Amino acid sequence: MAGSSNSAPVSSIHTSSETGRLLPSATKCNSKEIDLDVSLPSPYSKSYLFELVITDKTHYRRFLYISLTLAFVVLALGLVPHFLPQNNRHHGHSKNLTLALNQAITFFDAQKSGSYPSNSPISFRGSSGLQDGNSSNIHADLVGGFYDSSNNIKFTFPAAYTITLLSWSVVEYHRKYADIGELEHIKDVIKWGSDYLLKVGSAGNDTKNPVPNDINCWQRPEDMRYKRPVSVCNETASDLAGEIVAALSAASIVFKQDNEYSQRLIKKAEQIYEITAKEDRIHRAITYTTIDACGGEARKFYGSSGYKDELVWAATWLFFATGNHTFLDYATTNFAAAVDDETTTDKGIFYWNNKLAANAVLFTRLRFFRDLGFPYEKALGLSTNMTDQLMCSYLSKQNFNRTPGGLILLSPGTGGPLQFAATASFLSKLYNDYLTLFRRSSWNCTNDGFSLEMLQSFSTSQINYILGDNPRKMSYMVGFGDHYPTHVHHRSASIPWDGQYHSCAEGDRWLHSQDRNPNILLGAMVAGPDQFDDFSDEREKTWFTEPSIAGNAGLVAALIAHHDPPRSSASNGPNLGLDIVGIIEKVHLDS
């Protein structure tokens, strides 16, 4: 059961934070006057007994200077520990999260499709997929977007999720991004994706899901010569459409300063949502397969388990983007049904196929900082209880197993544990910030009580594990640290950038090569170790070495959440680098 406390809030404590709560000294220097009664009389007068005769003033001054200096040093050494950030005192050394974040974002530069920008930090990529759509069965402009992982395929479903999550991280922590000079970088990545989603979400009823036949061809995207078919999904693909709506809506908040572009994103999102919501009302009493009914090859890789979470997710983000309570009405009315529809294996997991845990956190945020009252109390209360129990499940170690090295195993049967650990780290750190600002320092679970420091410790531990604090002492993000995967399962990284055309057959030689990748795929988070912390750095073992844009989106979100807050803050509360009102700027009580 979730509970509240009236005790003082515990400040945010984590590996990369410098916002520690100043603790009062645990010791006090208390002096006591000692009365010594000596019976033997002195042969000297009292004035002579306490008189100090200085024969050498130079030595005396030197003695005073040295004594005062030593006293100051001792005092400083005694006080310094109390002014150090608590993260350094409790969690050991800190990671260079600025560098890690820059590299994690740079991975998306390596995944760009279309007319490749000349100022890209990636030197082994060029323009590709310039005829996407036009040379296919539908004749549409589908140039741009991101290749999903190691292949040359553009999957719309995880790509839209990626843009939603990256946008969410910017909406919350744009001050941190700006403070370290990464705001324009991440906004460029988001716009590259949102521009593509504007094309994918056509003005009509259809969404496109480009799926080229490159599964059996190990070839750089710049060398593609084969046909790239495009699958088309109609309005019954509610999950795919819902995620596109969420992405466009979240991105519209990121680009709110560019009113024209922001409104364009909102308009497209509303068009798609209206078509999808109408179809949902028609089929409310019918169980139907959503994205699996379309998508062609895509459903073999990103088959959705349901559509209700995406529709609630879409309506929630549209509400934040527009302030229109019609969208919140839909989201809150259908939230409980979406929770009931959640598969057992997906409970407590936030990733491309399940948004309910994240949606509960968003609803809780709304309840904390802009409580709208009736008729939303029930749904928002349910979300708060659900969020509290989610955090309890992260901390209790009863719901989810962990590797011997401490990595939480949220979905052990699917492989690729790092993507799930990254989003858990993001949600727990974000919620920790919410609670700190809401002045709630602890809460109760079934049998235990938990504090913000415990939640912070868990959140930090997962990021540190990914960046090298694990039994293998390996950073699972390429390019970070001294020891990281060098045989990443990735076409562009494994084939030399030598100006020569490499056919599919020639590419196979690089796929099966034992040599290191000739190109460093900077910032790519690989799938990760197994349940025993074992990892095999082999290119053909995709379950260890393959990265994905969806996985890296969670990593970026977690890294910025854990990054040091800006040195100065306009807020009157704790300086966490979080924008309290940005996401609810358009939300009004009188709407």
Side-chain angles (χ1 to χ4, degrees):
M1 294 294 291
S4 61
S5 173
N6 295 322
S7 60
V10 177
S11 297
S12 175
I13 306 168
H14 53 88
T15 303
S16 56
S17 171
E18 62 286 87
T19 309
R21 180 162 59 92
L22 297 183
L23 296 176
S25 175
T27 61
K28 296 182 179 179
C29 298
N30 298 319
S31 62
K32 292 184 179 180
E33 186 177 345
I34 303 176
D35 184 16
L36 296 178
D37 183 13
V38 181
S39 59
L40 293 176
S42 170
Y44 306 103
S45 68
K46 291 182 179 179
S47 60
Y48 184 84
L49 182 63
F50 296 101
E51 183 179 1
L52 176 64
V53 178
I54 301 172
T55 59
D56 190 327
K57 293 184 178 181
T58 301
H59 285 83
Y60 176 68
R61 284 195 295 269
R62 186 177 302 165
F63 168 78
L64 284 179
Y65 294 153
I66 293 175
S67 298
L68 290 173
T69 301
L70 288 174
F72 178 80
V73 170
V74 171
L75 179 63
L77 291 175
L79 292 176
V80 162
H82 299 297
F83 288 90
L84 285 175
Q86 291 189 27
N87 58 304
N88 290 335
R89 297 167 60 193
H90 290 279
H91 299 292
H93 69 280
S94 61
K95 305 291 184 183
N96 185 345
L97 296 192
T98 300
L99 176 62
L101 185 63
N102 170 268
Q103 293 179 346
I105 299 173
T106 299
F107 168 71
F108 292 97
D109 294 312
Q111 298 300 104
K112 287 180 177 178
S113 178
S115 298
Y116 205 71
S118 58
N119 62 344
S120 173
I122 302 298
S123 61
F124 58 88
R125 282 298 323 281
S127 296
S128 62
L130 298 181
Q131 296 301 314
D132 281 358
N134 286 327
S135 60
S136 71
N137 49 307
I138 66 167
H139 302 292
D141 177 12
L142 293 176
V143 177
F146 297 100
Y147 298 117
D148 176 65
S149 55
S150 65
N151 47 55
N152 300 333
I153 305 178
K154 297 190 292 189
F155 292 115
T156 305
F157 194 40
Y161 159 83
T162 294
I163 299 306
T164 308
L165 182 50
L166 292 179
S167 296
W168 187 8
S169 75
V170 174
V171 171
E172 300 281 18
Y173 295 113
H174 60 86
R175 292 169 182 164
K176 289 187 181 182
Y177 277 115
D179 187 59
I180 60 176
E182 290 293 339
L183 183 58
E184 294 307 313
H185 191 184
I186 190 65
K187 288 175 70 174
D188 170 76
V189 170
I190 292 171
K191 191 172 187 301
W192 193 275
S194 59
D195 282 349
Y196 180 72
L197 293 177
L198 285 171
K199 298 179 179 181
V200 170
S202 66
N205 294 357
D206 300 329
T207 53
K208 282 83 177 174
N209 204 32
V211 187
N213 184 22
D214 79 334
I215 300 301
N216 298 318
C217 179
W218 194 261
Q219 189 178 45
R220 298 179 311 200
E222 293 81 6
D223 293 337
M224 292 184 300
R225 299 291 188 270
Y226 47 77
K227 291 183 179 181
R228 290 170 62 76
V230 177
S231 61
V232 179
C233 302
N234 61 23
E235 64 274 12
T236 62
S238 301
D239 36 19
L240 174 59
E243 191 58 68
I244 294 174
V245 169
L248 295 175
S249 301
S252 76
I253 305 175
V254 172
F255 297 105
K256 62 183 179 181
Q257 301 301 325
D258 184 352
N259 186 64
E260 182 179 353
Y261 185 67
S262 180
Q263 289 302 313
R264 183 184 171 197
L265 294 172
I266 291 175
K267 182 178 179 180
K268 180 65 67 174
E270 288 179 324
Q271 288 177 350
I272 300 174
Y273 176 83
E274 180 58 31
I275 295 169
T276 306
K278 180 180 179 181
E279 189 68 19
D280 178 49
R281 290 190 293 269
I282 295 173
H283 293 83
R284 184 67 61 88
I286 304 175
T287 301
Y288 63 94
T289 306
T290 55
I291 198 173
D292 289 337
C294 63
E297 293 289 324
R299 63 178 179 264
K300 296 180 180 179
F301 300 91
Y302 291 99
S304 174
S305 60
Y307 69 95
K308 293 180 181 178
D309 60 318
E310 276 81 26
L311 291 186
V312 171
W313 183 239
T316 301
W317 278 109
L318 256 181
F319 169 67
F320 286 132
T322 65
N324 186 337
H325 280 232
T326 300
F327 301 124
L328 182 61
D329 292 342
Y330 179 91
T332 53
T333 300
N334 291 277
F335 181 69
V339 172
D340 291 340
D341 198 49
E342 186 180 26
T343 63
T344 302
T345 55
D346 274 351
K347 288 188 180 299
I349 307 174
F350 174 37
Y351 71 122
W352 57 265
N353 187 38
N354 188 26
K355 321 305 179 335
L356 287 174
N359 218 121
V361 172
L362 281 175
F363 278 168
T364 303
R365 188 197 206 288
L366 183 62
R367 183 174 182 237
F368 282 178
F369 304 114
R370 188 64 58 87
D371 193 349
L372 299 176
F374 181 83
Y376 307 112
E377 300 100 328
K378 184 176 180 179
L380 298 187
L382 170 64
S383 70
T384 301
N385 291 336
M386 181 174 171
T387 301
D388 284 344
Q389 292 307 311
L390 174 67
M391 300 304 148
C392 290
S393 70
Y394 290 159
L395 299 178
S396 68
K397 300 181 183 180
Q398 295 178 356
N399 296 67
F400 302 108
N401 293 326
R402 302 196 188 193
T403 68
L407 179 68
I408 192 168
L409 298 172
L410 293 167
S411 185
T414 59
L418 296 187
Q419 63 172 319
F420 309 116
T423 53
S425 177
F426 168 63
L427 291 183
S428 53
K429 176 60 176 75
L430 182 63
Y431 192 52
N432 184 287
D433 287 352
Y434 291 168
L435 292 173
T436 300
L437 293 171
F438 195 60
R439 300 186 182 280
R440 180 180 169 191
S441 60
S442 62
W443 70 100
N444 294 320
C445 296
T446 304
N447 298 315
D448 301 299
F450 294 104
S451 66
L452 295 191
E453 185 172 9
M454 295 171 67
L455 186 61
Q456 188 74 54
S457 179
F458 161 75
S459 180
T460 302
S461 71
Q462 301 307 296
I463 281 297
N464 283 347
Y465 185 101
I466 294 172
L467 297 181
D469 287 356
N470 53 65
R472 296 184 62 88
K473 304 301 180 185
M474 169 178 278
S475 166
Y476 289 111
M477 189 178 78
V478 177
F480 188 81
D482 299 325
H483 184 39
Y484 52 82
T486 58
H487 297 74
V488 182
H489 186 87
H490 192 274
R491 286 160 171 76
S492 293
S494 65
I495 301 176
W497 184 253
D498 53 9
Q500 302 295 317
Y501 170 81
H502 294 281
S503 66
C504 295
E506 292 171 339
D508 284 343
R509 179 166 62 91
W510 296 103
L511 169 62
H512 304 301
S513 171
Q514 300 301 309
D515 295 335
R516 293 185 172 191
N517 287 349
N519 307 308
I520 297 178
L521 191 62
L522 197 65
M525 182 181 74
V526 296
D530 63 16
Q531 60 183 332
F532 305 109
D533 297 307
D534 292 328
F535 178 82
S536 181
D537 188 11
E538 298 181 47
R539 193 175 298 112
E540 293 186 72
K541 293 184 177 180
T542 59
W543 55 95
F544 287 125
T545 59
E546 186 172 28
S548 71
I549 58 173
N552 255 66
L555 175 63
V556 168
L559 287 173
I560 193 61
H562 285 84
H563 200 282
D564 297 342
R567 295 176 181 83
S568 61
S569 175
S571 65
N572 296 323
N575 180 15
L576 301 175
L578 185 142
D579 184 353
I580 302 177
V581 300
I583 196 173
I584 54 177
E585 183 177 346
K586 294 186 178 181
V587 177
H588 303 287
L589 294 174
D590 57 352
S591 296

